[in-house]
Amino acid sequence: MMAPKSPGRELILRNCQTDFYGDEILSEWQKFDEAYFDSVRDGGYTAIWLRGQLRDLVLFEEAPHWNHRNLERVEALNRIVEQGARYDVGVFLYINEPKGFQEMDPIFEKYPHLKGPFNPLSEHPLCTSHEPSHAFCTQCEFTDTYLTGGFQKLFEQCPKIRGVITITASEVLTHCYSNVDLRNL
């Protein structure tokens, strides 16, 4: 009896020619062309990853103000996924969720308890473009709609995406406990 074949290991590459903090899916989708995917395969990689954010990819009835060309972004993501599939290269999304919010986000009108602690880094001149003003309070009733419902919608809209790399705590303030040193509590 033969042992079952173990699944292959994914070797995932990040495209360093795109803007990580920008809108690489919508604004730079054309950089993921035949030559790029040829080089990915030639390098022995089986997948790439792109940065995404749920509120930029799916629509939330509770937050219509987040719709900034979301459907176009999903179409661009699906084009990248299809292009990669031609070269047997999968596409993963790197998503740092639940990500915090800016001070004046209208979501706080409907869900005031969603506004977590203030982030002092958001006022630093080098951080104003990518640091949220407030953490995402995961104790709010909107959390399940956002995370579970958001990922469900994402996978319905992008059924051929290989997967998602989730980071729930990083150097960027995301939720109430993402930048807390539990040893000091």
Side-chain angles (χ1 to χ4, degrees):
M1 181 171 170
M2 291 183 66
K5 185 179 176 184
S6 65
R9 193 174 93 179
E10 291 279 12
L11 293 174
I12 306 171
L13 180 68
R14 166 84 187 128
N15 186 344
C16 61
Q17 300 297 315
T18 59
D19 182 7
F20 179 79
Y21 289 108
D23 190 353
E24 70 180 339
I25 294 172
L26 185 58
S27 301
E28 302 188 84
W29 64 268
Q30 69 281 357
K31 291 184 179 178
F32 299 93
D33 59 9
E34 294 176 30
Y36 172 73
F37 282 109
D38 264 341
S39 69
V40 170
R41 286 305 299 169
D42 290 348
Y45 294 92
T46 59
I48 63 167
W49 65 271
L50 308 167
R51 183 179 167 272
Q53 191 171 344
L54 283 176
R55 66 191 79 154
D56 291 339
L57 291 163
V58 300
L59 301 176
F60 292 90
E61 184 178 309
E62 300 85 353
H65 63 281
W66 288 341
N67 185 6
H68 300 284
R69 302 172 62 195
N70 290 27
L71 294 178
E72 288 178 64
R73 194 170 290 104
V74 167
E75 289 171 8
L77 175 58
N78 281 322
R79 279 195 300 268
I80 296 168
V81 169
E82 290 295 328
Q83 182 76 340
R86 290 187 197 108
Y87 295 86
D88 200 26
V89 174
V91 175
F92 286 82
L93 278 180
Y94 162 86
I95 295 185
N96 188 356
E97 295 284 5
K99 192 162 183 188
F101 302 95
Q102 296 305 326
E103 179 70 37
M104 302 308 288
D105 194 313
I107 193 73
F108 297 134
E109 293 170 17
K110 185 165 185 170
Y111 298 103
H113 294 97
L114 193 57
K115 187 184 256 187
F118 177 73
N119 178 10
L121 278 178
S122 67
E123 294 180 332
H124 190 283
L126 296 175
C127 300
T128 56
S129 67
H130 60 273
E131 280 287 339
S133 300
H134 289 274
F136 186 121
C137 181
T138 57
Q139 297 298 311
C140 180
E141 67 271 13
F142 181 64
T143 302
D144 188 51
T145 298
Y146 184 74
L147 292 175
T148 305
F151 278 109
Q152 180 179 345
K153 289 178 186 177
L154 174 64
F155 290 122
E156 287 170 359
Q157 293 173 336
C158 303
K160 294 182 180 178
I161 195 161
R162 181 81 51 95
V164 174
I165 301 165
T166 58
I167 305 293
T168 59
S170 69
E171 67 279 3
V172 176
L173 182 68
T174 53
H175 55 83
C176 293
Y177 291 100
S178 64
N179 293 72
V180 174
D181 186 347
L182 296 176
R183 296 172 296 181
N184 295 328
L185 293 179

